[in-house]
Amino acid sequence: MNKELLRKLPKIDELLKNESILKLLEENSRTLVLESLRESIEFYRNGILKGSVTSITTEGVIDLSSHLLKEKSKMHLRRVINGTGTVIHTNLGRSILSERAIENVIEVAVNYNNLEYEISKGKRGSRYSHIEDIIRRITGAEAAMVVNNNAAAIMLVLDTLAKEKEVIVSRGELVEIGGSFRIPDVMKFSGAKLVEVGTTNRTHLYDYENNITEETGVFLKVHTSNFKVMGFTEAVSLEEMVALGEKHNIPVVEDIGSGVLVDFSKYGFTYEPTVQASLAKGVDVVTFSGDKMLGGPQAGIIVGKKKFIDKMKKNQLTRALRVDKMTLAALEGTFKYYIDEKDAIENIPSLNMILMPAEQVKQKCNTLKRKLQSKIKDCTFKIDKGESMVGGGSMPTEKIPTYVIKVSNNRLSPETMEEKLRLGETSLVARVYDNELVLDGRTLFKRDFDEIVECFRKVLE
Ligand SMILES: *Cc1c(COP(=O)(O)O)cnc(C)c1O
C-alpha cells in the first residue's frame, strides 16, 4: 500500500511541465518554486510513511507548494492593520508617514540627489544642511542636527558636552523607556558620570546646586513622558535650572522625548511641553524623537545653541550615528507641514488620528459596520464608546474618547477570532476586552475597510 502511494508521488520534472506551475514560474523566483515543490513532495512522502496520508493527487501536491511559495515570497517586514486604537504603537512601527514625506522619500531614493552636494557651488556639501533651516524655523532654535534616534541623540550630546565629566540628573527622571532603553545605561556608553540627586518624588534646586563640582559638565532634564508621579511631588522648573546653569556656566540639556511641536492643550488635552517652549525658556540643548508625536520617520533631533551643536557636528561619533537620505527626505517632508499648524494636523497621520473628534471616529465605525454587516452574516457587530491611547510612551494618562466596533460570533471565541485575524493574509491586530473582540475606529483607515471585511470573511469561512 505504502509503496503504491509512494510511486504515485509526482516527480519534479513532471510538475515543472504542469500548467499551473508554469504560471507560477512566470511570476516567481525559480529557486523558490523548486524549493516549494520539493518541500510539498517531502511533506506527502513523510505522511505516507507515517500512515497519515492515504491518498495522493498531483493537484494536492501543487496546492500545497503554491501555499508554501506564497509564504516564502511574503515580506517578513510587512503592513498590518491597526485596530488597537493606540496611535503611536511602538510594536506596529510608531508613526505612519505623511503623503509628502513618502513622496519625498521616493523622489530621493530612485534618483541621484544633492545629499552631500552644494548645487549653487558645484562642491561637496553637508547632509545636515537640508533640514537645519526648516527645523530652526519651526522650533525657533539657533541650530539643529539629526541622528538615528533619540537614544543616539542623548549619547552624542553627553559624549560631546560631558565626556569624563559629571551629569546631574534628578532621581525622579531616571527613566526606562520601552525596549529597555534606560537613561543611566545610555549615559554610561557616553562616558559621562551620572550624579543622581533628590528623591523619586521630590527634587529641589538646592539638590542641583549642592552637587556642583569642578567636574560638572551638564544638567540633564529628562521628560518623564511614559509615566506620571502623582501626589507629594516637586520638580525643578526649567527656568530655575537655566538660571542656575547660567550662574555656574553649566549647559542645561533636556531630553523631551516625544517631540511635541503643537500645543495640545488648545485641543482639550493636558498640556505636554513643546520643544519651542523649552528653547524659549533658555534650555541650551533639547533632544527628541522623530517618530513619536512629531509624526515623522525614526530619527533623533538635536536643537539648541549653535556653539554646542557645532561641537556635536564635529564629534567623530556623529559619523556612526548619521541618518540616511531617506530619513532626511521623510523628515523634511514632515517638518514642512508644520509651517502651518492646520496643515500639520490635517496631513500628519499621527496628529490627525490623535486629534480626530470622537464623532468623526463614530462615522468611520458606522461605515465599516455597515460593510461588515452586509457581508459577514454570522457575526454581530455593535458600536460602543471606548478609549484610545496616544502610545509611544507619550501622554500616558491621556485617554482619548473614541468609538469601537465590538464583534461577537457564537462559534468562535473572541480570542480565537483575534488570533485568526492576526494570522490572516493581511494581519488585522485587534484587542480582546471583556470577552469581546474590539476594533477601535480611530486607528483604522477608510482605504482599508474592504480589506478588513475580507479579513473577517477568511476567518469565518
Ligand atoms: C522615546 C524616548 C527616548 C528614546 O527615543 P528613541 O527615538 O526611541 O531612541 C528617550 N527619551 C525619552 C524621554 C523618550 O520618551
Side-chain angles (χ1 to χ4, degrees):
M1 184 64 189
N2 268 356
K3 269 189 192 152
E4 203 169 303
L5 273 175
L6 286 171
R7 236 179 286 122
K8 272 193 177 170
L9 277 171
K11 305 268 177 309
I12 296 273
D13 289 350
E14 290 163 28
L15 289 169
L16 284 173
K17 288 178 204 142
N18 182 292
E19 279 292 312
S20 38
I21 297 296
L22 285 171
K23 223 170 176 178
L24 286 179
L25 278 167
E26 275 170 31
E27 285 159 21
N28 293 279
S29 137
R30 188 178 171 83
T31 304
L32 291 187
V33 174
L34 282 170
E35 213 173 273
S36 312
L37 289 172
R38 284 198 192 102
E39 281 173 24
S40 175
I41 293 170
E42 200 50 33
F43 172 85
Y44 276 97
R45 188 192 317 279
N46 287 335
I48 294 166
L49 294 176
K50 272 192 273 167
S52 57
V53 167
T54 49
S55 74
I56 187 160
T57 61
T58 305
E59 286 71 42
V61 175
I62 290 176
D63 279 354
L64 177 60
S65 49
S66 308
H67 173 76
L68 292 170
L69 181 64
K70 221 180 209 169
E71 287 298 312
K72 286 175 196 291
S73 310
K74 251 190 187 173
M75 283 295 165
H76 201 276
L77 176 61
R78 56 178 188 261
R79 66 174 290 215
V80 307
I81 297 175
N82 178 6
T84 67
T86 299
V87 178
I88 304 171
H89 200 304
T90 304
N91 301 146
L92 305 183
R94 285 197 182 162
S95 281
I96 288 181
L97 292 182
S98 59
E99 219 168 277
R100 194 183 284 158
I102 294 297
E103 280 167 12
N104 226 12
V105 169
I106 294 171
E107 173 86 2
V108 161
V110 302
N111 294 296
Y112 286 107
N113 52 68
N114 63 339
L115 180 64
E116 291 190 351
Y117 185 66
E118 217 173 307
I119 291 177
S120 61
K121 297 190 181 138
K123 281 200 317 206
R124 190 197 157 98
S126 152
R127 71 173 58 214
Y128 300 106
S129 65
H130 309 291
I131 30 113
E132 185 155 14
D133 280 350
I134 184 80
I135 298 178
R136 277 171 37 202
R137 175 177 174 157
I138 303 301
T139 63
E142 271 181 26
M145 71 176 293
V146 175
V147 290
N148 241 316
N149 54 22
N150 192 23
I154 299 161
M155 212 164 107
L156 177 62
V157 172
L158 296 180
D159 187 83
T160 310
L161 303 180
K163 197 178 180 112
E164 275 141 41
K165 287 195 182 162
E166 295 174 351
V167 175
I168 303 186
V169 196
S170 158
R171 286 205 171 85
E173 297 171 6
L174 291 172
V175 299
E176 172 174 318
I177 293 133
S180 65
F181 165 90
R182 287 181 165 173
I183 288 289
D185 296 337
V186 172
M187 293 184 55
K188 255 181 245 148
F189 277 118
S190 74
K193 187 168 164 257
L194 177 70
V195 178
E196 305 171 25
V197 301
T199 58
T200 308
N201 58 331
R202 285 170 79 87
T203 302
H204 305 270
L205 192 64
Y206 59 72
D207 289 319
Y208 288 87
E209 190 149 30
N210 292 346
N211 283 286
I212 295 174
T213 69
E214 289 284 293
E215 299 303 314
T216 307
V218 158
F219 290 153
L220 177 66
K221 178 108 186 146
V222 183
H223 180 50
T224 54
S225 49
N226 58 357
F227 71 100
K228 281 234 187 312
V229 185
M230 311 270 192
F232 186 58
T233 64
E234 172 96 33
V236 175
S237 73
L238 278 176
E239 288 92 337
E240 290 174 293
M241 247 166 113
V242 167
L244 189 66
E246 272 169 9
K247 188 169 142 197
H248 295 275
N249 202 21
I250 295 166
V252 175
V253 173
E254 185 184 17
D255 167 17
I256 204 171
S258 260
V260 177
L261 297 174
V262 167
D263 176 2
F264 276 81
S265 66
K266 282 192 291 193
Y267 306 100
F269 283 68
T270 17
Y271 176 74
E272 182 76 1
T274 64
V275 176
Q276 295 94 320
S278 289
L279 290 169
K281 286 174 184 167
V283 176
D284 294 286
V285 176
V286 180
T287 74
F288 52 99
S289 294
D291 55 354
K292 292 186 183 170
M293 299 291 277
L294 181 72
Q298 180 193 301
I301 298 153
I302 310 172
V303 292
K305 305 253 161 78
K306 187 169 183 308
K307 64 174 175 186
F308 298 126
I309 304 282
D310 281 348
K311 267 190 169 172
M312 290 170 213
K313 285 180 182 164
K314 289 194 197 108
N315 189 326
Q316 284 301 310
L317 200 53
T318 297
R319 182 63 171 77
L321 307 176
R322 79 177 193 184
V323 283
D324 180 48
K325 57 183 177 289
M326 291 194 280
T327 303
L328 290 168
L331 204 56
E332 189 182 2
T334 309
F335 264 107
K336 280 253 158 78
Y337 281 123
Y338 280 96
I339 292 173
D340 286 305
E341 190 171 305
K342 216 172 113 276
D343 283 341
I345 292 168
E346 213 168 284
N347 294 294
I348 297 175
S350 291
L351 291 188
N352 186 275
M353 283 186 271
I354 290 166
L355 293 175
M356 183 176 286
E359 278 311 304
Q360 214 172 313
V361 178
K362 190 180 188 181
Q363 282 171 21
K364 270 206 279 182
C365 285
N366 275 324
T367 311
L368 178 58
K369 185 186 157 208
R370 252 179 271 121
K371 270 183 189 277
L372 284 164
Q373 265 171 342
S374 71
K375 297 271 166 54
I376 314 293
K377 294 297 177 199
D378 45 357
C379 277
T380 53
F381 301 95
K382 61 176 199 280
I383 291 180
D384 203 353
K385 287 185 174 168
E387 281 168 346
S388 311
M389 301 282 283
V390 172
S394 315
M395 302 189 176
T397 52
E398 200 74 52
K399 302 241 188 290
I400 316 171
T402 193
Y403 281 91
V404 298
I405 301 182
K406 292 184 170 171
V407 190
S408 47
N409 173 278
N410 37 24
R411 199 162 41 86
L412 303 175
S413 73
E415 287 80 11
T416 307
M417 270 196 287
E418 185 278 331
E419 184 185 2
K420 283 174 175 269
L421 287 166
R422 176 159 44 80
L423 298 178
E425 195 161 316
T426 302
S427 286
L428 169 55
V429 183
R431 280 185 305 142
V432 175
Y433 185 76
D434 247 358
N435 206 29
E436 274 174 309
L437 185 90
V438 180
L439 286 177
D440 189 329
R442 186 170 296 278
T443 46
L444 297 175
F445 296 103
K446 282 205 175 113
R447 60 171 191 252
D448 293 334
F449 283 3
D450 288 332
E451 208 160 347
I452 293 171
V453 173
E454 192 57 17
C455 291
F456 274 97
R457 208 184 51 74
K458 289 237 172 73
V459 162
L460 293 157
E461 76 186 3

